[in-house]
Amino acid sequence: MKNKSILKNFSDEQIVDLVIKDKEMFGVIIDRYEKRLKNYLLYLTKDKEKINDIVQNTFIKAYVNLNSFNKKMKFSSWIFRIAHNEAINLLKKESFFKPLNFNLFINLKDNKNDAEEILNEETKIMVKKCLDQLTFDYREIVVLYYFEEKSYEEISDILRISVSNVGVKLNRAKKKLKKICQNIS
Amino acid sequence: MKKQTVKKEVLRKIKTGEIKMKPKWFFVLGSILSIFGLIGSFVFTAFIINLIIFILKPHYGPNYPLRLNLILNNFPWWILILSFISLISGIFFLKKFDFSYKKNSSFVFLVIIVSIIISAIFFNQLGINELFMKKGPRFMRRFYREMQLKNIPNFRKQKFNQF
């Protein structure tokens, strides 16, 4: 396996090319996405045990189908799409997406000292509390946009809906979220 | 499953060959089949709609209401169901392509329906039914003959004119 510091400069798409030649390079993909996928799923679910299973299945499916990855698309959108599908499958199986446990998010704070960042984190925690009340599809779009900082185009690729539809759904979600937050506060 | 084991577990499965990457040709073949499936489903739907237009083509003149009644009484409803199934399978294949969700879904659906109807009218004008009646595969000729036996006016007309 190549030196880790060299690999830092490689894009995900370049890593994918390397994985095709050397399967052990898939570890780099896991390093880059394991935490991000877990956080994303944590916003949507509350069962930590199941989250590990979903993330593992996501990586397995990504590896098995790596040759189907379209390089015109962003790799992060592609892998988030797989995680989304896995989560939906579980939802269908056992109505898994129960309301969130707010306490789960307490440990998610980063070690940022800047006052503005702390304020942002506080806002985020408040929003997370309100997210609990949103339905799954609205919650997911808010998480992707605000927490995962995905663009409309990327969200469109992950959820397989048109970009205009992303805008419409996000607006609706924001309105609902605002209403919920006002009620809570 | 404990934390930090996801990477180990996935890499173990990769190394032991428990999971294997599907080859590129597998996906290329899948795409080709999807394209054929998509085109085939829509052409088939257009052909069936053409058949429905052919059956329902009005023949004004004496006893028109009676003729229409006869057409509707003997109408093979299963071809309507078949066209619906074919349309659904076409949409299933369409959804496999990235462009399907990048466009407005109601717009895509409208374009599909309009193009199927236009193709069906085109098939009808082209005289494809007459061709199938005369030189089509056996099951098609049998279908047209059955329609004639049921005395559907359009088929009777074809019988007298064509044969």
Side-chain angles (χ1 to χ4, degrees):
Chain A
M1 198 184 284
K2 287 185 200 292
N3 192 312
K4 274 194 175 180
S5 59
I6 300 171
L7 290 172
K8 270 187 181 175
N9 300 322
F10 280 52
S11 69
D12 291 339
E13 291 72 20
Q14 286 172 313
I15 300 287
V16 168
D17 283 337
L18 294 176
V19 176
I20 306 280
K21 291 164 198 156
D22 175 8
K23 55 190 180 183
E24 282 186 39
M25 290 295 290
F26 196 71
V28 180
I29 300 274
I30 300 176
D31 286 338
R32 286 186 182 189
Y33 282 96
E34 185 176 352
K35 203 176 170 195
R36 285 179 69 185
L37 291 177
K38 278 181 180 172
N39 280 346
Y40 163 64
L41 291 163
L42 198 57
Y43 287 123
L44 307 177
T45 71
K46 72 170 199 176
D47 195 331
K48 275 190 168 179
E49 291 294 312
K50 293 251 164 68
I51 285 169
N52 275 331
D53 288 341
I54 299 176
V55 171
Q56 186 178 307
N57 286 344
T58 301
F59 284 125
I60 289 173
K61 285 208 171 155
Y63 178 78
V64 170
N65 297 295
L66 204 62
N67 274 316
S68 75
F69 167 60
N70 178 0
K71 282 169 193 160
K72 287 176 192 163
M73 211 172 149
K74 280 186 88 173
F75 181 79
S76 68
S77 302
W78 187 72
I79 203 158
F80 269 82
R81 171 75 195 162
I82 299 173
H84 161 88
N85 283 344
E86 285 297 305
I88 293 285
N89 285 344
L90 207 72
L91 168 72
K92 283 178 187 163
K93 264 187 204 164
E94 48 187 274
S95 60
F96 167 58
F97 295 86
K98 293 158 193 163
L100 293 163
N101 180 356
F102 174 58
N103 293 331
L104 282 173
F105 297 110
I106 300 299
N107 299 326
L108 286 175
K109 276 203 241 179
D110 295 328
N111 297 322
K112 290 167 185 166
N113 297 320
D114 190 275
E116 200 178 302
E117 290 293 337
I118 291 168
L119 195 69
N120 278 341
E121 284 306 312
E122 281 175 3
T123 315
K124 275 187 181 180
I125 290 173
M126 178 64 192
V127 173
K128 281 165 194 163
K129 202 175 178 182
C130 305
L131 270 177
D132 182 18
Q133 312 285 321
L134 271 182
T135 53
F136 175 76
D137 49 342
Y138 286 132
R139 199 190 313 161
E140 186 174 33
I141 208 158
V142 169
V143 167
L144 287 170
Y145 189 73
Y146 290 104
F147 296 93
E148 293 302 324
E149 291 168 352
K150 300 275 178 205
S151 66
Y152 276 29
E153 193 74 35
E154 287 172 284
I155 298 174
S156 156
D157 287 334
I158 294 168
L159 303 180
R160 288 182 81 87
I161 55 175
S162 64
V163 174
S164 59
N165 210 351
V166 171
V168 172
K169 273 194 160 185
L170 193 62
N171 266 332
R172 281 186 199 153
K174 275 196 276 187
K175 279 180 191 165
K176 281 177 189 272
L177 198 64
K178 195 179 168 187
K179 223 176 183 177
I180 292 165
C181 284
Q182 278 170 347
N183 286 341
I184 287 179
S185 61
Chain B
M1 195 188 302
K2 280 179 192 169
K3 216 181 165 185
Q4 301 300 322
T5 59
V6 171
K7 184 180 176 185
K8 274 186 190 169
E9 188 62 15
V10 174
L11 288 181
R12 184 192 64 77
K13 284 184 177 177
I14 290 172
K15 280 177 197 166
T16 56
E18 206 176 308
I19 53 168
K20 279 179 184 157
M21 204 185 288
K22 285 178 188 165
K24 189 118 190 154
W25 65 260
F26 178 86
F27 299 103
V28 174
L29 187 70
S31 300
I32 293 169
L33 288 178
S34 293
I35 292 169
F36 277 113
L38 178 71
I39 296 170
S41 307
F42 288 140
V43 169
F44 188 65
T45 312
F47 175 72
I48 293 178
I49 302 285
N50 138 74
L51 209 58
I52 294 169
I53 294 170
F54 181 72
I55 295 170
L56 295 177
K57 203 188 279 176
H59 284 269
Y60 297 108
N63 299 326
Y64 172 66
L66 203 73
R67 279 163 178 263
L68 191 69
N69 205 23
L70 192 67
I71 292 171
L72 292 177
N73 281 342
N74 291 305
F75 188 80
W77 295 103
W78 58 268
I79 65 168
L80 251 184
I81 297 165
L82 200 65
S83 69
F84 188 70
I85 293 169
S86 176
L87 183 68
I88 297 290
S89 59
I91 290 168
F92 167 79
F93 285 115
L94 186 73
K95 279 189 169 268
K96 293 206 168 284
F97 296 93
D98 287 347
F99 66 85
S100 65
Y101 69 87
K102 291 199 186 284
K103 306 281 174 211
N104 187 308
S105 55
S106 45
F107 173 75
V108 171
F109 191 71
L110 191 76
V111 167
I112 289 170
I113 297 294
V114 169
S115 48
I116 283 176
I117 291 172
I118 290 172
S119 313
I121 293 169
F122 181 70
F123 284 164
N124 199 267
Q125 293 296 312
L126 217 64
I128 203 161
N129 295 298
E130 288 79 2
L131 189 77
F132 270 110
M133 210 183 280
K134 271 177 161 181
K135 292 176 182 172
R138 186 175 285 178
F139 73 94
M140 284 303 297
R141 277 182 283 163
R142 196 186 303 148
F143 169 77
Y144 284 108
R145 201 178 305 133
E146 275 172 21
M147 291 296 109
Q148 284 172 349
L149 290 174
K150 280 182 178 175
N151 260 336
I152 290 182
N154 295 334
F155 286 91
R156 274 193 299 162
K157 183 173 172 267
Q158 290 300 327
K159 185 184 175 186
F160 295 134
N161 292 347
Q162 300 281 333
F163 307 108

